[in-house]
Amino acid sequence: MAPEALNFSFSQKSDIWSLGCIVLDMTSCSFMDGTEAMHLRKSLRQSPGSLKGILKTMEEKQIPDAETFRNLLPLMLQINPSDRITIKDVVHITFVSGSFKSSCISLTLHRQMLPVSFTDMLLAGNVASILEVMQNFSSWPEVQLRALKRFLKMPADQLGLPWPPELVEVVLTTMELHDRVLDIQLCACSLLLHLLGQALVLDPEAKVPCNQAITSTLLRCLRSHPEEEQLLVMVYSLLAITTTQESVSEELQNAGLLDHILEHLHSSLQRRDVCVSGLGLLWALLLDAVIVNKGPLEEVPDLISQVLATYPADAEMAEASCAVFWLLSLLGCIKEQQFEQVVALLLQSVRLCQDRVRLVNSAYQGLASLVKVSELAAFKVVVQEEGGSGLSLIKETYQLHRDDPEVVENVAMLLVHLASYEEILPELVSSGMKALVQEIKERFTSSQVSDSRAFNKPGLPPGGSPQPGCTTSGGLE
């Protein structure tokens, strides 16, 4: 024995005994009839002296695991507290032998619980050794769960980031084999999100591979546990992050994911995290995707209105909603009778949290898209209401983000579309938009206001109403 070996306590001897029972159960299940197996197990538990007889029976029947049992037998018979053997010795004899691996299938039919102390010993190695254990004990849910938890505690530099293919493959296989075990699904999704987060920290521009195995496993997870909120949120988040390819987006649409999201948004208004993650996944599905059937999307604006009414002060919810509104406007999925309501919600969202750049960009892109096709939407932007007009909000946004080219470009795009309506021009001029437009042109020569005819025609004087005899068709200059 190794010099660093430790004495086994009584409980450890019990663990060795249990391992012997596991081997016996494993072999008898596959190679003995029910009466023989019952007799042998009873003999094993009642009389240590019968162990050698059991081994003889196994050898006579030419059971493949007889050699494993033979190696384990001396350990099972050692009951002297002064004997010095290590857990590692038992693990090596019991779990590394080829005969044990060959009998893993029979263990799924009839087996005892693997002692926790031995499971922990098996999972004490590096990523490669843990993956080997998971593959050899694929049908043991308790081993899979402890392995997943072990990975979650590992430092990032040990996980093989940015996106370790072999680890991900084993995790997905585990999810499929144990799709009804909620704890495994939760832990596996947590690990996948952990891997994604660590990978993106190392490389924000990294693209996560997304293939059919990942999407099909996550969809299966949704079907197995449709009402588990924590799992639903994690799966939605994973799908939103990994859905980066048009083919994958179409595959998810064909699988009914869009209907699934809308159904849960309808039924989960009081579950805040489900709403946020659902809107995030909806945005990912719509971005750059080919939408064949736009019918289901026409109900989304009213649905988002309900969500925002339920969470009026939630900045994250508003940001996710603005992003979806913008894509819906581009797709033509917002009906004319919904224009005013959507414009009001976009302006409300910007007022709520102007420091969130993504929210601001999405909101102004959505507003510009609606104003471009509807004078009614344009009037809704400029009309004075209780919270102030949209024009005053535009000036506030510009001052706050005047050094952000993307925000300024989106503000300019909205102003270009507003200025295309002759009846809107007086409001633009009286609100001092001429000076703002001139500043944008001077600071950002590539801005849309520099190329727009509406801002390059002679006409209105600076900062005031049209002079007598001057029409509004001349633009802001």
Side-chain angles (χ1 to χ4, degrees), residues 170-186:
V170 172
V171 170
L172 295 177
T173 301
T174 298
M175 292 178 69
E176 292 180 359
L177 289 174
H178 303 283
D179 61 321
R180 296 292 177 181
V181 183
L182 178 60
D183 285 344
I184 285 181
Q185 302 301 310
L186 288 169

Side-chain angles (χ1 to χ4, degrees), residues 13-34:
K13 288 180 178 296
S14 298
D15 284 342
I16 296 177
W17 189 272
S18 297
L19 287 171
C21 294
I22 289 173
V23 175
L24 179 62
D25 286 343
M26 173 183 67
T27 56
S28 63
C29 179
S30 298
F31 298 96
M32 301 181 186
D33 60 38

Side-chain angles (χ1 to χ4, degrees), residues 39 43 87 123 138 160 170 172 215 227 343 360 419 453 477:
H39 175 73
S43 298
I87 293 179
L123 299 175
S138 59
V170 172
L172 295 177
T215 55
E227 300 303 324
V343 167
V360 169
R453 292 183 179 181
E477 292 195 43

Side-chain angles (χ1 to χ4, degrees), residues 402-405 408 439-447 450:
R402 62 195 311 271
D403 295 323
D404 188 321
V408 174
E439 182 176 336
I440 292 176
K441 290 178 65 175
E442 292 174 354
R443 297 184 65 240
F444 299 91
T445 56
S446 62
S447 173
S450 300

Side-chain angles (χ1 to χ4, degrees), residues 235-297:
V235 172
Y236 276 2
S237 299
L238 282 167
L239 287 171
I241 296 172
T242 57
T243 306
T244 57
Q245 303 171 22
E246 183 177 308
S247 58
V248 174
S249 178
E250 291 180 8
E251 175 190 336
L252 293 175
Q253 291 179 54
N254 294 334
L257 185 58
L258 181 58
D259 293 333
H260 187 282
I261 297 171
L262 298 182
E263 177 185 342
H264 276 79
L265 286 176
H266 270 300
S267 61
S268 305
L269 285 177
Q270 302 305 319
R271 297 195 290 177
R272 184 258 180 198
D273 290 344
V274 172
C275 291
V276 170
S277 59
L279 290 172
L281 179 53
L282 183 58
W283 176 84
L285 285 177
L286 299 180
L287 187 66
D288 296 328
V290 177
I291 308 296
V292 178
N293 180 18
K294 298 181 181 180
L297 295 177

Side-chain angles (χ1 to χ4, degrees), residues 26-79:
M26 173 183 67
T27 56
S28 63
C29 179
S30 298
F31 298 96
M32 301 181 186
D33 60 38
T35 302
E36 285 183 304
M38 184 184 305
H39 175 73
L40 289 177
R41 285 194 292 272
K42 183 176 181 181
S43 298
L44 175 62
R45 287 161 176 76
Q46 290 182 346
S47 173
S50 66
L51 289 172
K52 293 182 179 180
I54 292 172
L55 175 60
K56 183 178 179 180
T57 301
M58 295 170 67
E59 291 175 336
E60 289 175 351
K61 288 182 173 289
Q62 296 184 335
I63 296 175
D65 285 302
E67 182 62 26
T68 300
F69 194 81
R70 174 187 291 279
N71 291 332
L72 189 61
L73 182 59
L75 299 178
M76 298 176 68
L77 292 174
Q78 288 177 343
I79 57 176

Side-chain angles (χ1 to χ4, degrees), residues 378-395:
F379 272 108
K380 188 65 178 177
V381 172
V382 302
V383 70
Q384 186 73 28
E385 294 187 340
E386 184 178 347
S389 74
L391 296 181
S392 61
L393 185 63
I394 289 174
K395 288 190 286 188

